[in-house]
Amino acid sequence: MLTFKEDQDFKALRGHILNPLSDTSCQCFPDGIIVARRKSGVWLVEALGDASSIAENYQLDLDDVPVNSGVVLPPFYDIHFHWVQDDVREMPKESLLEWLERYTFPEEARFADPDYSEVKAKHFWSRILATGTLGGLCYSSIHSVALDAAMKYAPSGFRIGGSLMTMNCPGFLRQTVDEAVGAASYGAKTYGDRYCITPRFAPTTHPEVMTAAAKLAENSGLFQQTHLDETIAEIEWVLGIYSEIDGFDDIQNYTEIYERCGVLGPRTVMGHAIHLEPEELELLAKTDTALASCPTSNAPPEDFGLGSGLFNFEQVESHGIRWALASDIGGGPFLSMFDVIESFVQQNRQIGRSSATYTKALYRSTLAGAEILEYGEAKGNFAIGKEFDCIQCQSPEGMRIPSNAEESIAQLIGQVRTRSDYDALVSSAVLNGEVIFERAPLKA
Ligand SMILES: [Zn+2]
């Protein structure tokens, strides 16, 4: 539970505060204060620092400013997940294409029903907010009722797109070319830039649909998202399909298909991008396309992932390509970005990538995602002038929290016994200065 020192347009939040700045830097204030002030209805961060210096500057009596327990962080941004796959997160996963066919497509088909979509959306968004994810980039199903339901319950920090699917998928989840283009126009017209153009991936979406939707994205300033190079079997399948499509028979790799349809660019987020050829890395860099890495979804099946491989962040960074972490619900088994952070750190450390720190993972789960989604000027950390959003995470009662960021995050994560418990690590969430979620205190 969070308590503030506050009056009408002023709030001071005191506690152990972490403020991610970059891959290698995260401010840590073991006894810190965030000062926020309301201006024209928006709560903005006005100051951040050690409690003693803030108290002096603002002439506050520290005895009068309540100390909050646990750790205060900026909220998470999850830049690749499918809200309509919440019920297949823990289904058996042998391979991507089989899991889609057997569990995921039949589940997504249920969202044609407006009542089902409404009930599921209400439940899903209350759960994801309770894990501390207050923004991101999300896939819906092909149905406009599912998009409407998601837009109704998701806060404005989420951009959402209805999947466009016109070929190589079951009839019950297939649009005609005209229906897909119409669905994209509906989304853009109804939701403006909160709508994201979302061809599911090249094998299921006709190139003429991707091309028309990409034009709409360009003309309306929308984001685009799709999947790229997740598994070897998928790549072979895609290249086989496009080798027989006019105008694509000479393409050299998967990324080129998207380039030819106008999908690449600075407002595009490609999911996974694990098995990239050197030419693909160059193309992504040249077009300033961003990537979403989903380590829990890509993890081996024994860890409840699809066994797709490990994203090579060092290679991607050496090309100057922007990227952030994501859960890929339901390829990823759990909603919490803490689970994603731990998976990223452990999988990379196992193969000797020592720069895979908790500091880096926190940055890639907060500010990096907000920046890719063009919310970075207003959100993503506690920089002065940004909107006052935060989460409070529980820490063991009476335990001293380490006084540096890396160890603070490690301790938060280390207290959790099973992976599903990460979902409950967040005890409060604040959006634009208002508490939007509070977990009931645990009974002793
Ligand atoms: Zn996905």
Side-chain angles (χ1 to χ4, degrees):
M1 177 138 174
L2 277 179
T3 43
F4 303 88
K5 160 86 179 162
E6 58 189 321
D7 62 35
Q8 209 186 355
D9 291 317
F10 172 92
K11 281 181 201 260
L13 175 65
R14 184 178 179 188
H16 185 107
I17 298 166
L18 301 184
N19 187 36
L21 300 175
S22 71
D23 279 326
T24 53
S25 173
C26 180
Q27 289 178 304
C28 178
F29 302 98
D31 182 12
I33 291 179
I34 302 170
V35 173
R37 200 176 294 275
R38 183 159 51 189
K39 288 177 186 156
S40 316
V42 183
W43 283 95
L44 300 175
V45 175
E46 188 175 84
L48 166 68
D50 287 321
S52 54
S53 62
I54 297 276
E56 203 181 310
N57 291 348
Y58 281 84
Q59 296 178 336
L60 296 170
D61 178 358
L62 271 186
D63 292 337
D64 207 20
V65 186
V67 181
N68 288 283
S69 64
V71 178
V72 174
L73 308 170
F76 295 121
Y77 280 75
D78 182 348
I79 69 162
H80 181 118
F81 68 97
H82 304 249
W83 84 271
V84 288
Q85 294 176 9
D86 194 28
D87 282 0
V88 296
R89 291 181 290 114
E90 295 180 74
M91 290 300 174
K93 292 170 186 169
E94 275 164 33
S95 75
L96 167 69
L97 300 178
E98 248 179 77
W99 172 77
L100 285 173
E101 204 64 47
R102 192 174 299 175
Y103 302 106
T104 308
F105 289 159
E107 171 59 22
E108 288 193 19
R110 301 179 72 184
F111 287 82
D113 175 358
D115 295 335
Y116 187 76
S117 287
E118 168 74 21
V119 169
K120 283 287 175 185
K122 189 172 180 191
H123 178 69
F124 177 82
W125 293 103
S126 73
R127 283 200 330 111
I128 193 169
L129 299 181
T131 69
T133 297
L134 304 190
L137 193 57
C138 169
Y139 289 67
S140 192
S141 65
I142 62 169
H143 315 98
S144 61
V145 290
L147 178 71
D148 294 340
M151 288 288 191
K152 178 173 163 189
Y153 290 103
S156 61
F158 289 91
R159 300 189 197 274
I160 308 170
S163 294
L164 307 175
M165 301 169 71
T166 53
M167 63 179 183
N168 300 308
C169 56
F172 57 77
L173 211 58
R174 193 186 307 152
Q175 301 153 300
T176 63
V177 166
D178 286 348
E179 282 168 353
V181 174
S185 304
Y186 167 79
K189 205 159 64 190
T190 314
Y191 299 108
D193 66 4
R194 286 199 63 206
Y195 180 73
C196 176
I197 295 292
T198 307
R200 183 175 205 118
F201 61 156
T204 62
T205 314
H206 279 92
E208 53 265 45
V209 172
M210 291 198 278
T211 305
K215 282 219 178 77
L216 178 62
E218 200 187 326
N219 294 338
S220 311
L222 308 181
F223 270 77
Q224 300 190 70
Q225 62 181 341
T226 188
H227 296 83
L228 173 68
D229 288 326
E230 184 172 356
T231 73
I232 302 292
E234 169 209 7
I235 295 168
E236 287 169 359
W237 187 45
V238 177
L239 295 181
I241 292 168
Y242 278 78
S243 68
E244 293 180 8
I245 297 181
D246 270 357
F248 289 86
D249 45 1
D250 61 334
I251 52 127
Q252 302 295 312
N253 56 59
Y254 196 165
T255 306
E256 261 187 62
I257 300 173
Y258 291 130
E259 187 203 25
R260 219 164 270 193
C261 296
V263 179
L264 306 183
R267 284 200 173 132
T268 297
V269 179
M270 291 282 164
H272 304 295
I274 299 169
H275 308 281
L276 295 169
E277 301 286 342
E279 297 77 23
E280 296 185 277
L281 282 158
E282 279 165 28
L283 203 45
L284 293 167
K286 195 176 84 186
T287 53
D288 198 20
T289 303
L291 305 178
S293 173
C294 315
T296 55
S297 170
N298 305 150
E302 59 268 28
D303 295 326
F304 310 108
L306 289 159
S308 307
L310 185 58
F311 176 78
N312 190 342
F313 71 83
E314 289 176 342
Q315 189 185 47
V316 160
E317 287 174 15
S318 74
H319 283 77
I321 298 170
R322 298 168 302 137
W323 72 278
L325 285 166
S327 72
D328 191 29
I329 294 305
F334 300 110
L335 289 175
S336 172
M337 289 301 287
F338 280 115
D339 186 50
V340 174
I341 286 173
E342 178 65 350
S343 179
F344 168 79
V345 169
Q346 296 310 331
Q347 288 192 65
N348 280 292
R349 282 190 177 167
Q350 264 169 30
I351 60 159
R353 286 186 195 140
S354 56
S355 62
T357 60
Y358 288 110
T359 300
K360 181 183 185 79
L362 181 66
Y363 165 67
R364 295 282 168 181
S365 305
T366 53
L367 183 57
E371 284 176 338
I372 285 171
L373 297 181
E374 297 183 0
Y375 293 133
E377 296 276 302
K379 290 170 179 291
N381 68 4
F382 302 128
I384 309 303
K386 288 195 181 185
E387 291 170 20
F388 178 38
D389 303 336
C390 72
I391 57 175
Q392 178 195 28
C393 307
Q394 320 203 38
S395 74
E397 204 167 316
M399 191 182 273
R400 200 188 66 81
I401 304 167
S403 56
N404 73 73
E406 182 69 18
E407 288 173 32
S408 297
I409 309 162
Q411 188 193 67
L412 272 180
I413 284 177
Q415 67 180 303
V416 168
R417 290 211 188 99
T418 66
R419 290 176 63 187
S420 56
D421 292 343
Y422 287 120
D423 284 1
L425 208 49
V426 171
S427 46
S428 309
V430 170
L431 192 59
N432 187 22
E434 308 296 339
V435 176
I436 57 157
F437 164 76
E438 208 137 56
R439 194 176 299 281
L442 296 173
K443 292 204 174 80

